[in-house]
């Protein structure tokens, strides 16, 4: 009997407490083991882990690579696989391999196969793919059924074609479809963080408002506590309410700390949008149960009439090389803007840009406001740092531009210059370094969808001896 | 102005104290992306009275934040969230997170300007 079949046979449902263990909000950075063990001892009905995020930037989605290392990723996967198989409960993993596109899913799946073999584990695994069919997306864009999720251009066919990878965020529908195949483990591509934890409650008939609210909080594990941290958290869903308890005794889920979590990385703290509806938190109540536990209720669910999918895509935009150097000369600091203008002219002279395939030179001058996205300039520093970034069609061009910039920045003459030995200090050589391919998010849109099942297909396999 | 404050204070105990700095009363002033197209700033207060004083301050109105960050008012939203004694400010990013030329991929260091606010 599979873990899912066992779960479904327990007669769980509204009024009967459902214990959900959130083991990791970002699998692959090191799951704290003591709290995971404490969570296992509480006999959870299932274990969920989030493994990805868009927050890490466009590189991982574009390049098809994991942000986490093989060693730590396998360590974490091993811990949660052994825990779930040992308890005989379902394990749900969302946004496999950082970004959840085909290469991320394949790599994570290979790790799981290796671990199963090394540990002698056997289980049934459902894999859910999340690569957005391009033809469908083109069709939706042409029909005016897509829209940008902020200040990004409307979706056009060329953007769809250029993207290295495009994923859709699956919701509970895909997980429930996978659960019907009665797996022990679900490995999902790009998924809404909430869907990992809300699918089973929804399948068992728990009220969707509180279930989704609980999912939204526990997907970040103990970040909702004071002090916040990465330890596993146990969410116990009753029906109209749920109770939160960190599996690290040093962390307390208090009414204010839990309520405050609704703000975290959300543009709007009162509404959480899901593919099939939205949670309204305006009437949410947070009650202290004891020093470390809070009961939450009051979230309401508004289903949408038409399913939507949040779509993310990244495209290659060049090869990146950087130059690293500092300066403490007051005249260099004072004249930095003029020096940069001069150096740009020198570089353009030595390497005339090809108008069809230009390279770009960015000067990030730390100590002069380089950290700010807005027009904020902090007080002048006594030491500044030049991070020069080149994005070019080839690494040869990027590296060459960084190299030429280095030499001209070092020796650029300007009125009032005293330090004719050099304007900048290099922390090491070579100070100009090839970084690799650069990507940018080209798609961050929402599309309507008439057939979710075709976008998020499920594949089932038996791993190990059985 | 002083007389006006006294009058208002008698009606509304939470009225802003003149000259009070945001950093004097806020417990958390943080920034982070909310997706790659928005930066969201959370200002959290230890209790209801300090939250109410900040909430009523014109210095935390969307127009004032837009002037402070030198962006169009349409790109700024301010949402008070009483359950957490917090005020959320969301601003459209001038550049999509991680695009070459970006300054802060996670958006975690965009709160500096809030530190200078006088309520």
């Amino acid at each position: 009997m599979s873990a899912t079949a066992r779960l479904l046979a327990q007669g769980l449902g509204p009024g009967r407490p459902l214990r959900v263990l959130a083991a990791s909000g970002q699998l692959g950075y090191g799951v704290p083991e003591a709290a995971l063990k404490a969570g296992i001892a509480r006999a959870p009905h299932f274990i969920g882990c989030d493994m990805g995020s868009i927050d890490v930037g466009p590189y991982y989605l574009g390049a098809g690579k994991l942000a986490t290392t093989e060693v730590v990723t396998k360590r974490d996967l091993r811990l949660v696989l052994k825990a779930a198989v040992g308890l005989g409960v379902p394990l749900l993993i969302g946004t496999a391999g950082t970004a959840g596109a085909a290469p991320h899913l394949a790599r994570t799946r290979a790790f799981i196969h290796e671990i199963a073999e090394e540990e002698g584990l056997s289980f049934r695994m459902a894999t859910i793919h999340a690569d957005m069919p391009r033809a469908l997306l083109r069709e939706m864009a042409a029909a005016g059924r897509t829209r940008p999720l902020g200040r990004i251009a409307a979706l056009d066919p060329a953007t769809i074609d250029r993207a290295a990878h495009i994923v859709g965020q699956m919701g509970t529908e895909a997980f429930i479809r996978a659960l019907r195949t009665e797996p022990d483990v679900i490995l999902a591509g790009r998924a809404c963080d909430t869907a990992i934890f809300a699918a089973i409650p929804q399948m068992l008939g728990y009220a969707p408002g509180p279930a989704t609210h609980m999912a939204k909080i526990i997907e970040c594990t103990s970040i909702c506590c004071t002090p916040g941290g990465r330890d596993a958290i146990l969410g116990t869903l009753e029906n109209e309410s749920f109770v939160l308890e960190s599996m690290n005794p040093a962390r307390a889920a208090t009414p204010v700390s839990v309520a405050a979590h609704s703000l975290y990385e959300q543009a709007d703290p009162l509404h959480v949008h899901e593919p099939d509806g939205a949670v309204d938190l305006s009437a949410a109540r947070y009650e202290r149960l004891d020093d470390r536990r809070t009961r939450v209720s009051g979230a309401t669910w508004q289903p949408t009439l038409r399913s939507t999918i949040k779509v993310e895509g990244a495209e290659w935009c060049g090869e990146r090389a950087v130059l690293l150097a500092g300066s403490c000369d007051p005249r260099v600091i004072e004249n930095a803007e003029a020096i940069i203008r001069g150096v740009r002219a020198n570089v353009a002279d030595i390497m005339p840009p090809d108008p069809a395939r230009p390279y770009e030179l960015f000067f990030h001058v730390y100590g002069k406001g380089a950290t700010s996205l807005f027009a904020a300039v902090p007080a002048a520093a006594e030491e500044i740092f030049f991070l020069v970034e080149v994005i070019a069609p080839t690494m040869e061009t990027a590296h060459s531009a960084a190299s030429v910039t280095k030499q001209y920045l070092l020796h650029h003459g300007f009125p009032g210059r005293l330090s004719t030995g050099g304007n900048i200090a290099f922390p090491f050589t070579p100070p100009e370094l090839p970084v690799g391919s650069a990507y940018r998010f080209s798609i961050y849109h929402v599309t309507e969808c008439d057939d979710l099942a075709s976008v998020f297909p499920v594949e089932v396999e038996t791993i190990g001896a059985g | 102005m002083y007389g006006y404050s006294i009058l208002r204070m008698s009606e509304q105990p939470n009225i802003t104290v003149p000259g009070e700095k945001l950093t004097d009363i806020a417990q958390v002033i943080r920034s982070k992306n909310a997706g790659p197209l928005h930066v969201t700033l959370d200002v959290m207060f230890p209790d209801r009275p300090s939250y109410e004083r900040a909430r009523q301050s014109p210095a935390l109105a969307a127009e004032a934040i837009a002037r402070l960050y030198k962006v169009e008012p349409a790109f700024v939203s301010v949402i008070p969230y009483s359950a957490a004694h917090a005020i959320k400010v969301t601003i459209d990013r001038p550049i999509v997170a991680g695009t070459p030329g970006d300054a802060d991929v996670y958006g975690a260091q965009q709160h500096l300007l809030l530190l200078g606010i006088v309520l």
Side-chain angles (χ1 to χ4, degrees):
Chain A
M1 198 183 211
S2 74
T4 305
R6 253 194 308 278
L7 176 76
L8 296 176
Q10 286 179 52
L12 289 160
R16 298 212 34 204
L18 178 74
R19 293 182 301 278
V20 182
L21 183 65
S24 178
Q26 184 63 282
L27 202 85
Y29 285 114
V31 171
E33 209 172 337
L36 178 64
K37 289 221 165 101
I40 295 164
R42 302 292 286 274
H45 292 105
F46 74 92
I47 300 175
C49 309
D50 188 15
M51 200 178 170
S53 168
I54 196 167
D55 302 340
V56 291
Y59 174 78
Y60 308 97
L61 177 60
K65 292 195 174 145
L66 276 68
T68 56
T69 63
E70 174 168 348
V71 171
V72 185
T73 307
K74 277 187 75 176
R75 171 199 179 271
D76 285 359
L77 283 169
R78 192 183 309 270
L79 283 174
V80 295
L81 278 167
K82 284 171 78 174
V85 174
L87 285 167
V89 301
L91 172 67
L92 282 70
I93 301 171
T95 309
T98 310
H104 310 96
L105 198 57
R107 192 92 181 99
T108 310
R109 188 176 176 181
F111 288 156
I112 291 174
H113 276 259
E114 287 165 27
I115 294 163
E117 193 173 327
E118 287 157 12
E119 300 289 337
L121 301 174
S122 63
F123 47 86
R124 191 172 150 82
M125 183 162 85
T127 300
I128 318 172
H129 300 265
D131 302 277
M132 201 65 206
R134 293 180 190 228
L136 174 70
L137 200 54
R138 271 192 292 267
E139 198 182 296
M140 286 299 183
R145 296 180 69 187
T146 64
R147 65 178 171 83
L149 282 163
R151 280 167 78 191
I152 193 165
L155 201 50
D156 61 16
T159 303
I160 296 168
D161 291 343
R162 280 197 311 265
H165 294 287
I166 308 175
V167 288
Q169 286 192 14
M170 67 182 79
T172 51
E173 179 279 336
F175 282 92
I176 291 172
R177 203 156 23 80
L179 286 162
R180 296 226 162 91
T181 69
E182 301 201 342
D184 300 295
V185 176
I186 294 180
L187 179 66
R190 185 63 175 131
C192 295
D193 307 337
T194 45
I196 305 162
F197 301 98
I200 287 178
Q202 196 175 319
M203 198 175 178
L204 294 170
Y206 291 86
T212 311
H213 190 195
M214 182 174 95
K216 182 71 207 157
I217 297 168
I218 66 173
E219 63 95 355
C220 292
T221 62
S222 293
I223 286 183
C224 68
C225 297
T226 177
R230 305 187 66 250
D231 300 285
I233 193 167
L234 186 74
T236 304
L237 183 62
E238 288 148 348
N239 185 35
E240 293 299 339
S241 65
F242 58 91
V243 174
L244 299 167
E245 180 184 353
S246 175
M247 293 295 98
N248 178 342
R251 308 198 185 284
T254 70
V256 171
S257 75
V258 173
H261 184 68
S262 304
L263 298 160
Y264 192 66
E265 295 176 349
Q266 283 284 116
D268 175 352
L270 297 176
H271 300 92
V272 182
H273 296 277
E274 299 294 318
D276 46 356
V279 183
D280 186 336
L281 301 180
S282 21
R285 286 182 302 279
Y286 304 87
E287 300 162 65
R288 179 184 182 278
L289 213 59
D290 56 35
D291 285 349
R292 295 189 53 254
R293 293 185 302 160
T294 286
R295 172 174 278 126
V296 185
S297 58
T300 54
W301 176 256
Q302 292 146 344
T304 46
L305 294 173
R306 202 171 265 162
S307 295
T308 56
I309 303 172
K310 202 188 247 191
V311 185
E312 302 162 354
E315 71 177 44
W316 179 84
C317 53
E319 297 299 311
R320 173 181 281 129
V322 295
L323 165 68
L324 311 169
S327 181
C328 60
D329 183 309
R331 303 234 175 145
V332 172
I333 295 171
E334 192 187 326
N335 290 288
E337 288 73 21
I339 293 171
I340 290 168
R341 275 196 303 277
V343 172
R344 279 186 184 281
N346 295 143
V347 176
D349 193 34
I350 306 290
M351 295 180 57
D354 173 355
R357 303 177 77 208
Y359 62 87
E360 285 179 288
L361 209 52
F362 300 97
F363 283 79
H364 305 267
V365 186
Y366 290 91
K368 289 214 154 194
T371 310
S372 182
L373 288 169
F374 305 97
V377 180
E382 292 185 359
E383 185 173 55
I384 62 171
F385 184 76
F386 291 95
L387 169 60
V388 183
E389 181 186 8
V390 190
I391 305 287
T394 65
M395 184 53 86
E396 195 185 4
T397 306
H399 198 186
S400 301
S403 166
V404 173
T405 302
K406 180 205 79 173
Q407 211 58 17
Y408 278 87
L409 188 57
L410 180 65
H411 292 304
H412 190 81
F414 57 90
R417 187 185 191 211
L418 297 172
S419 57
T420 51
N423 297 326
I424 47 176
F426 302 118
F428 46 74
T429 61
E432 75 278 24
L433 304 164
V435 175
S437 296
Y439 292 85
R440 65 182 189 89
F441 285 123
S442 50
I443 303 175
Y444 192 65
H445 293 70
V446 67
T447 181
E448 291 176 12
C449 183
D450 302 323
D451 182 12
L452 291 172
S454 71
V455 177
F456 304 111
V458 175
E459 211 181 321
V460 186
E461 65 186 319
T462 300
I463 298 177
Chain B
M1 276 308 286
Y2 182 73
Y4 174 78
S5 296
I6 295 292
L7 177 72
R8 292 271 304 185
M9 273 171 119
S10 63
E11 292 165 2
Q12 215 166 354
N14 291 323
I15 190 72
T16 303
V17 177
E20 190 171 36
K21 288 181 191 159
L22 188 60
T23 47
D24 289 341
I25 59 168
Q27 212 167 29
V28 171
I29 301 178
R30 67 183 183 192
S31 102
K32 200 75 185 276
N33 287 350
L37 308 184
H38 298 95
V39 163
T40 191
L41 305 149
D42 299 332
V43 186
M44 294 152 88
F45 301 92
D47 49 35
R48 189 73 189 220
S50 55
Y51 160 73
E52 285 295 339
R53 289 207 299 281
R55 192 177 65 81
Q56 291 165 26
S57 168
L60 281 169
E63 300 72 28
I65 300 288
R67 277 195 301 276
L68 186 63
Y69 277 81
K70 298 190 167 72
V71 296
E72 288 177 39
F75 296 161
V76 178
S77 75
V78 175
I79 305 175
Y81 181 51
S82 61
H85 308 140
I87 295 168
K88 176 172 274 297
V89 177
T90 300
I91 310 179
D92 287 15
R93 286 182 63 105
I95 183 166
V96 177
T99 298
D102 188 12
D104 185 2
V105 176
Y106 287 24
Q109 285 288 308
Q110 302 310 311
H111 56 291
L112 173 72
L113 292 174
L114 296 183
L115 303 182
I117 285 182
V118 177
L119 295 170

